Amino acid sequence: MSTIAFLGLGHMGLPMALNLAGGGHTVVGFDPMPLAVEAAVAAGLTLADSAVSAVINADVVITMLPTGRHVVDAYAGRDGDAGLLDVARPGTVFIDSSTIAVDEARHAHALAEAAGHRALDAPVSGGVIGAEQATLAFMVGASEADFAFARPILERMGRRVVHCGAPGLGQAAKVCNNMILGITQVAVAEAFVLGERLGLTHQALFDVASNATGRCWALTTNCPVPGPVPSSPANRNFEPGFAGALMSKDLGLARQAIEMTGVDARMGILAQDIYRAYSDGDGSRKDFSGIIEAIREGRARR
Ligand code: NAD
């Protein structure tokens, strides 16, 4: 069992940290936000009063932070504050599970390695419910040896742990998967609105497409109209689920990767434009399948 510093105790991080502690690891958490601290104390997690004191005695440091900037600043330090890489014991294993850009993940890895540590990118899918129920899917970018070390730790928080290749490739898998998801959710929403205008009932389109070549998760699990899939967010006024703001963020990371590689991925870029507009409006906190409302009302373009 390891001594693990867990930094970032938000919607995802707190339940993940609790699952590690429940699995027998010694976990010390840290978060600068008072509300997150309150929730962590109430849940019985051991806390440190600074990131440095959480990390100083750890074998493993896990970060679950909002953006790549937060990760790099935490690793390298900012405004004269010591970075975690400076204070950790040599050979500490740094696992970043935040969703960040591929090039930021590679930069964070290079910083960690230069400071004498080991590092993995291990972003997740499965959302808050997956974090609570320890059913997350981890996509890991790491050397074979670091993956073998980290796997049992990740398995305490998730059901599926896939080694995607070298450092950065966990984030690459995450960004490619979420680009498929963003594009298909828009496609399904457009098809339902087109069907409505042509006089097709939602159920008839669902019955055909869910048994035909239009079948996909955005239709059969996250169906954007109420009725055909009773558990989908459309049945509860698009309460998330996966919020529009997070889809907009992830498609922004996909766009960065598209621009970095020069791939002719026009659908990915269009999906980001559509979700950015959705997220700038009332879609920020709604499930991303609520994009159907914007399409129906002609608000999907900027
Ligand atoms: P969140 O905003 O709820 O939590 C992030 C936490 O990090 C906050 O409590 C913040 O105070 C803390 N933090 C910021 N800087 C810190 C630092 N230097 N040290 C310690 N803590 C710090 O976000 P979340 O929903 O938990 O998401 C975390 C990451 O997981 C994001 O990158 C997100 O894109 C990704 N993700 C989220 C979901 C989801 O459904 N929420 C799903 C998959 C992936």
Side-chain angles (χ1 to χ4, degrees):
M1 290 293 161
S2 302
T3 299
I4 300 175
F6 204 114
L7 308 182
L9 303 171
H11 292 100
M12 298 291 289
L14 178 58
M16 291 166 73
L18 291 171
N19 284 329
L20 285 173
H25 293 287
T26 302
V27 179
V28 181
F30 173 74
D31 194 298
M33 199 162 75
L35 269 180
V37 170
E38 249 173 59
V41 168
L45 192 73
T46 304
L47 292 181
D49 55 10
S50 70
V52 167
S53 56
V55 163
I56 217 151
N57 291 315
D59 316 313
V60 175
V61 177
I62 301 181
T63 39
M64 194 55 174
L65 306 181
T67 68
R69 188 71 262 153
H70 290 88
V71 175
V72 170
D73 284 350
Y75 276 22
R78 203 180 144 209
D79 301 334
D81 288 346
L84 305 180
L85 300 175
D86 300 323
V87 297
R89 294 193 298 224
T92 297
V93 176
F94 281 78
I95 302 175
D96 179 43
S97 284
S98 326
T99 302
I100 71 174
V102 174
D103 54 350
E104 286 170 323
R106 289 181 174 146
H107 179 53
H109 180 271
L111 290 172
E113 205 168 50
H117 303 300
R118 299 155 69 185
L120 304 85
D121 48 300
V124 300
S125 73
V128 175
I129 291 175
E132 286 169 355
Q133 298 180 349
T135 56
L136 293 169
F138 283 89
M139 297 149 258
V140 186
S143 69
E144 290 288 349
D146 290 346
F147 177 72
F149 174 86
R151 182 176 200 143
I153 294 171
L154 301 178
E155 282 172 345
R156 288 278 173 202
M157 300 179 283
R159 196 158 47 191
R160 223 153 26 92
V161 180
V162 179
H163 188 198
C164 299
L169 293 180
Q171 295 292 353
K174 167 86 183 168
V175 102
C176 290
N177 178 69
N178 278 22
M179 189 172 84
I180 296 172
L181 182 58
I183 293 171
T184 51
Q185 195 70 65
V186 170
V188 169
E190 288 182 354
F192 271 104
V193 174
L194 181 60
E196 288 167 5
R197 301 281 160 88
L198 295 173
L200 203 52
T201 66
H202 292 157
Q203 193 64 49
L205 176 55
F206 180 83
D207 289 345
V208 170
S210 63
N211 289 295
T213 43
R215 184 184 175 87
C216 58
W217 186 92
L219 174 70
T220 59
T221 301
N222 220 36
C223 187
V225 293
V229 179
S231 57
S232 78
N235 297 281
R236 36 172 219 273
N237 199 26
F238 298 104
E239 185 188 305
F242 188 59
L246 287 174
M247 178 50 86
S248 177
K249 172 194 167 183
D250 289 3
L251 287 171
L253 298 176
R255 187 181 199 130
Q256 256 177 272
I258 290 166
E259 285 166 0
M260 184 174 80
T261 54
V263 172
D264 189 11
R266 287 158 58 199
M267 299 293 282
I269 290 192
L270 199 51
Q272 198 238 344
D273 287 342
I274 290 170
Y275 272 108
R276 200 174 41 192
Y278 179 61
S279 167
D280 284 349
D282 66 346
S284 170
R285 288 168 180 276
K286 286 188 172 180
D287 188 75
F288 76 114
S289 59
I291 194 66
I292 193 169
E293 295 181 311
I295 292 168
R296 194 180 279 125
E297 293 158 19
R299 291 187 284 112
R301 61 188 81 213
R302 287 195 145 249

